[in-house]
Amino acid sequence: QEFTETLRRLNYPQSISIESFRTPNFELMAEVLYWMVQRLDPSIPIHDDINTEDDRVEFLNGITTEVAAKSHINLNARNLYVADGNSVKELLILAQFLHRASILAEIEAEPDETFNVENNVESYKKSRSLATEITE
């Protein structure tokens, strides 16, 4: 469930149920992994043919190598290949990394509103003099 919620927060284009991974579902796992890797770095070259067993192994080995190089996250290709609940645990690692990165990007994008003591003291003095004038 945490995985599906994290994907939702990352604006994954379709709703995914954890039930989809009760039985092996390589196509869905590959689709989600491909989408997340594209979010990580769109320039990562991905072998996207997954029709044969060799193609799937090449797909996963390429992605796990690139993800490790770009983000220092070591995904277990064997767990991903099974494409069941174990693969969800691996996918969650990358999804949480992307979610934390998006939160940090939002924080950095916000304007820096530092507390300026001089402006506040000056404002306080003006407010006090206005209050004195009003009461006189």
Side-chain angles (χ1 to χ4, degrees):
Q1 177 152 354
E2 184 179 354
F3 176 65
T4 57
E5 286 299 313
T6 304
L7 281 181
R8 186 184 56 74
R9 283 187 232 121
L10 288 170
N11 297 321
Y12 185 72
Q14 56 185 327
S15 178
I16 292 182
S17 168
I18 201 68
E19 295 295 320
S20 303
F21 292 100
R22 295 277 181 225
T23 58
N25 189 344
F26 193 88
E27 289 78 17
L28 179 59
M29 184 283 306
E31 180 182 322
V32 172
L33 183 60
Y34 183 90
W35 182 82
M36 287 194 295
V37 170
Q38 288 297 301
R39 290 226 16 182
L40 178 66
D41 185 354
S43 68
I44 292 177
I46 299 173
H47 173 81
D48 58 356
D49 184 16
I50 57 170
N51 293 327
T52 67
E53 188 175 316
D54 289 339
D55 290 337
R56 291 176 178 195
V57 169
E58 186 177 339
F59 170 79
L60 290 174
N61 284 337
I63 284 182
T64 55
T65 301
E66 289 289 337
V67 168
K70 298 279 183 183
S71 63
H72 305 290
I73 294 175
N74 294 319
L75 298 174
N76 186 322
R78 288 182 183 161
N79 286 344
L80 289 169
Y81 187 85
V82 177
D84 62 1
N86 290 324
S87 69
V88 171
K89 292 176 186 174
E90 296 296 318
L91 293 170
L92 180 60
I93 294 168
L94 185 55
Q96 288 175 330
F97 175 82
L98 291 171
H99 185 248
R100 285 191 302 269
S102 68
I103 290 172
L104 288 174
E106 288 174 12
I107 290 171
E108 289 178 1
E110 291 177 2
D112 187 20
E113 296 180 11
T114 56
F115 185 75
N116 189 339
V117 175
E118 289 182 22
N119 286 345
N120 286 335
V121 169
E122 197 62 38
S123 175
Y124 173 75
K125 287 179 182 177
K126 287 180 182 176
S127 297
R128 191 166 181 189
S129 68
L130 282 172
T132 304
E133 287 177 23
I134 291 171
T135 55
E136 289 179 352

